[in-house]
Amino acid sequence: YKGLQGEVAAAEKIQATVRMHLQRKNYAVFRRTTRAALVIQRFWRSRISIYHLVQALADLQTSRLNAFKQLQMTFFRRYASLKERKRVIIHLPSFGAESFQRHSMEYLATFQNSQMARLTSLQDPRVEVIYIAPFPLSDEILHYYYKILSLGGVQDAEKRLRVVTPENYLKFPEHFSLSTHLLYSPRAMRKIRTLIRGKDAYVVPSLVGVDDIKLCVALNVPLMGSLPDIANTYSTKSGAKRIFASAEVNTPPAAFDLFSEMEVYARLAALIVRNMDVQRWILKIDDEFGGR
């Protein structure tokens, strides 16, 4: 830098260069801290959203459970008089077992549909039946059951029986329970609401699951059963044994509530010693079914 203003120009150049390097350094620090802050903010917003979602789901579950309990209390108070009046029974043969059990089952829909004997409740002329079928029933099958019911003395079976099939039963996995398929089938839900409008109605379940509770609240009808936790506890083989023992009902010699292999050996040995005349013993898994 030459001339009269050379030193001034050189000083300005040095100052500008130094300020540039300082700003670049400060910008790098700012960018790094800003990115870190954004990561923290995104994580925090995500956690807050998850917390609010979990809280909303918990509140929904609590309100649904309270609504279900209110339905049940009203149903228990009115049942003595209800069974003497005209009523609609919604037969729901849904298998509400654990998901891993339904996954391992073949022909789950056929298994759920094996309760057609429920239709005999039409023998009471004051009863209308809505049967929830896991898949469409052909006209030949329906006429077959109409014929059986008429031979059994049931009058007007075709007028008092309605079969409802969830329209979306093929759009969801086969291991879903019948209650789940029905919840996800708005057309079938509307049809049931139309059929029970202005009438006394209640649901008769099979193995009660969580979706049975949701379904009852959605339809605003009570359930002839208990909460899933209670139902699943006493629907096991050990649960049934505890009920029979409390009722002082005679049962075959048995051991239940066994939780380890060595406990099974010890209790079985004690049973054999006390019952020498028994030649064969059956081992059953507590929460399984059908000899599985």
Side-chain angles (χ1 to χ4, degrees):
Y1 294 90
K2 300 178 180 180
L4 295 176
Q5 299 295 325
E7 293 183 356
V8 174
E12 290 177 350
K13 178 63 176 178
I14 293 171
Q15 291 172 358
T17 303
V18 170
R19 281 196 296 269
M20 179 191 70
H21 283 289
L22 289 175
Q23 288 300 321
R24 286 176 63 88
K25 182 179 179 181
N26 292 336
Y27 174 72
V29 174
F30 173 77
R31 184 176 60 180
R32 187 168 60 251
T33 54
T34 300
R35 286 177 176 175
L38 289 174
V39 170
I40 295 172
Q41 290 172 0
R42 282 196 296 267
F43 175 77
W44 182 248
R45 282 195 295 267
S46 173
R47 297 296 298 177
I48 291 294
S49 299
I50 292 174
Y51 171 78
H52 287 309
L53 176 61
V54 171
Q55 194 66 37
L57 291 175
D59 293 341
L60 177 62
Q61 184 175 1
T62 301
S63 63
R64 183 186 291 129
L65 185 60
N66 291 334
F68 176 75
K69 289 180 178 179
Q70 186 63 40
L71 285 171
Q72 295 300 93
M73 290 176 60
T74 305
F75 178 60
F76 294 153
R77 286 197 304 266
R78 298 179 59 234
Y79 183 69
S81 60
L82 178 63
K83 62 183 181 181
E84 302 298 329
R85 302 200 304 267
K86 289 185 177 182
R87 60 198 183 275
V88 179
I89 301 178
I90 304 172
H91 281 290
L92 181 66
S94 175
F95 189 65
E98 294 290 341
S99 178
F100 73 89
Q101 289 179 301
R102 287 185 274 108
H103 262 294
S104 63
M105 292 182 63
E106 293 184 357
Y107 311 112
L108 174 61
T110 304
F111 177 81
Q112 292 181 128
N113 198 52
S114 62
Q115 301 184 31
M116 294 292 290
R118 291 167 174 255
L119 302 183
T120 55
S121 56
L122 287 167
Q123 287 181 333
D124 187 340
R126 296 164 296 189
V127 169
E128 296 180 24
V129 168
I130 299 175
Y131 180 79
I132 312 299
F135 48 80
L137 302 180
S138 65
D139 292 338
E140 290 80 3
I141 292 177
L142 289 176
H143 287 306
Y144 171 75
Y145 280 102
Y146 290 147
K147 185 66 175 178
I148 290 179
L149 290 170
S150 65
L151 292 175
V154 176
Q155 303 295 326
D156 301 327
E158 296 186 17
K159 296 180 180 179
R160 294 190 289 126
L161 172 62
R162 296 291 182 270
V163 178
V164 177
T165 303
E167 72 271 13
N168 293 329
Y169 74 100
L170 290 177
K171 296 182 180 179
F172 295 97
E174 293 182 359
H175 70 275
F176 277 17
S177 68
L178 179 56
S179 296
T180 308
H181 282 154
L182 185 57
L183 277 171
Y184 296 159
S185 300
R187 192 183 309 161
M189 293 287 286
R190 285 195 299 270
K191 184 175 181 179
I192 295 173
R193 291 191 184 99
T194 301
L195 291 172
I196 65 175
R197 184 175 296 128
K199 302 177 182 178
D200 293 319
Y202 56 88
V203 173
V204 177
S206 180
L207 182 60
V208 181
V210 176
D211 283 344
D212 295 277
I213 307 302
K214 297 179 183 178
L215 186 62
C216 288
V217 175
L219 294 173
N220 195 33
V221 293
L223 181 80
M224 184 175 276
S226 61
L227 291 170
D229 292 341
I230 300 174
N232 292 335
T233 297
Y234 290 102
S235 63
T236 62
K237 297 172 179 64
S238 293
K241 289 289 186 181
R242 288 196 295 271
I243 291 176
F244 293 148
S246 300
E248 299 181 353
V249 175
N250 291 329
T251 57
F256 52 92
D257 286 331
L258 307 178
F259 302 103
S260 69
E261 186 177 352
M262 293 307 299
E263 192 175 7
V264 172
Y265 294 152
R267 297 289 293 278
L268 178 59
L271 285 171
I272 292 174
V273 170
R274 289 199 300 267
N275 303 274
M276 298 297 291
D277 56 327
V278 177
Q279 299 299 313
R280 180 175 298 176
W281 295 89
I282 300 176
L283 302 180
K284 289 179 175 286
I285 297 176
D286 212 10
D287 59 349
E288 276 295 346
F289 55 91
R292 301 200 332 161

